[in-house]
Amino acid sequence: MKYNYHTHSHYDDGSLAMEDFVVAAIDNGFEALGFSGHSPMSIDNEWSIKSKDLPEYAAHGKRLKEQYKEQINLYLGLEIDYIPGISDNFDAFRKSVPLDYCLGSVHLVRHPENGQIWFIDGPAEQFFQGLNDIYQGDIRAAVTAFYEQSIMMVASQKFEIIGHLDKVKMHVMHNQLDTSEQWYRDLTLKLLKEISQRDIIVELNTRGVYTGKTTEYFPSDHILEQCLHLGIPVMVNSDAHHPEQLSSLVSEGESRLADIGFKEISTPFHTHIPLT
């Protein structure tokens, strides 16, 4: 089954229209495609859907679902950022527009004491400036805040897929952060145990590798191994920001899952899909 549930169009930080992704998906034999624009946020930024455009985004998705219903299964979703004390409750978005599914993600980490915001997904210079200014360069404290915020998201919000679960490693995995250390493994296991108690799918996100930002998928193999041990369902998404990226390293990601020991993948609408 060919699918992708993590895509970004011109409504947020993607490059082309939603229909361009649909046409590319059909041309490449996809059975399912999900739209997952970054949800509107109260914090000014250049990469999320504007609140005024959310109804249009939803209406556009609805039109495409009807227009292409004989050729592909289309689903309307949002990638919703969780920032404690700042972001809207995920259910508020479900009530405002007819969503089929949601991805829960953490891109902005709020310091648990002073409330300052650390953006982990921008250029490396911005990442390190936040690390130094907000956490005084203490990578352990910063990474702990990321995972504790992710745990809070899982415990308090309803969503179907958790996005790029360990993206905090992207700029530091080969110098300042040793993901084999016990404190780090304890944090990731704490998050996974929270996930295992809910109907949440962990995505293997290929974007960091095919864009050259990291040499490891999100999440790392040791986290995927724990997912297998805990019975947490997984899927592969490319986090496409351009139609040409819909299949980027997806088959390779599925091969990685098979090598780890997974026999099947799941999506929010199809479970127990055999890995070939």
Side-chain angles (χ1 to χ4, degrees):
M1 179 178 179
K2 296 188 71 173
Y3 65 88
N4 201 321
Y5 286 83
H6 197 155
T7 63
H8 297 282
S9 70
H10 73 285
Y11 279 101
D12 51 315
D13 60 346
S15 57
L16 293 175
M18 295 166 77
E19 188 166 13
D20 292 314
F21 285 82
V22 177
V23 171
I26 293 171
D27 288 345
N28 285 277
F30 278 57
E31 295 180 42
L33 178 68
F35 304 114
S36 60
H38 289 289
S39 63
M41 300 179 63
S42 59
I43 297 176
D44 288 338
N45 67 84
E46 299 178 351
W47 42 272
S48 63
I49 299 171
K50 305 305 179 187
S51 294
K52 65 180 180 62
D53 294 330
L54 185 59
E56 180 184 336
Y57 166 78
H60 195 171
K62 183 178 180 180
R63 290 196 302 272
L64 292 172
K65 288 167 73 171
E66 179 62 26
Q67 180 179 348
Y68 290 97
K69 65 182 180 181
E70 301 299 328
Q71 296 169 271
I72 190 172
N73 294 309
L74 298 178
Y75 301 98
L76 182 70
L78 283 174
E79 181 177 12
I80 308 177
D81 255 272
Y82 176 75
I83 313 171
I86 295 178
S87 59
D88 291 332
N89 191 290
F90 288 13
D91 283 342
F93 290 106
R94 295 181 188 272
K95 292 176 181 177
S96 64
V97 289
L99 298 176
D100 297 311
Y101 72 102
C102 296
L103 284 95
S105 296
V106 173
H107 298 90
L108 296 144
V109 181
R110 187 182 188 192
H111 192 286
E113 296 175 2
N114 61 36
Q116 290 180 282
I117 301 296
W118 177 40
F119 183 39
I120 68 163
D121 195 30
E125 295 79 9
Q126 187 176 14
F127 175 97
F128 286 110
Q129 181 178 348
L131 175 63
N132 292 325
D133 292 349
I134 301 172
Y135 292 94
Q136 293 72 54
D138 187 340
I139 189 63
R140 179 167 176 172
V143 168
T144 297
F146 169 84
Y147 278 109
E148 292 292 351
Q149 185 169 314
S150 299
I151 291 165
M152 291 172 63
M153 176 179 69
V154 170
S156 65
Q157 306 298 316
K158 169 64 177 174
F159 57 99
E160 286 71 29
I161 305 167
I162 186 164
H164 38 64
L165 179 151
D166 62 348
K167 196 165 194 177
V168 70
K169 74 184 182 185
M170 183 168 67
H171 293 302
V172 290
M173 59 180 291
H174 291 309
N175 42 48
Q176 291 180 263
L177 180 64
D178 182 353
T179 59
S180 68
E181 291 186 1
Q182 193 59 48
W183 69 267
Y184 184 86
R185 297 292 175 96
D186 289 344
L187 278 172
T188 58
L189 182 58
K190 183 178 179 182
L191 173 58
L192 292 177
K193 285 183 175 178
E194 198 71 42
I195 291 171
S196 70
Q197 299 177 38
R198 294 162 177 82
D199 294 327
I200 295 176
I201 300 167
V202 168
E203 73 164 9
L204 185 159
N205 185 305
T206 65
R207 182 168 179 80
V209 177
Y210 71 76
T211 58
K213 293 180 179 180
T214 179
T215 57
E216 288 185 0
Y217 296 126
F218 304 123
S220 302
D221 284 358
H222 83 271
I223 294 176
L224 293 169
E225 290 165 1
Q226 287 293 334
C227 288
L228 180 63
H229 176 71
L230 293 169
I232 297 172
V234 296
M235 68 188 304
V236 181
N237 286 317
S238 72
D239 198 347
H241 287 59
H242 189 283
E244 292 180 355
Q245 298 172 343
L246 282 172
S247 297
S248 295
L249 296 185
V250 170
S251 61
E252 291 85 349
E254 291 186 342
S255 294
R256 177 65 58 83
L257 290 177
D259 290 342
I260 289 170
F262 287 94
K263 304 298 183 184
E264 61 186 27
I265 55 174
S266 294
T267 78
F269 311 102
H270 302 86
T271 59
H272 308 301
I273 304 167
L275 276 171
T276 56

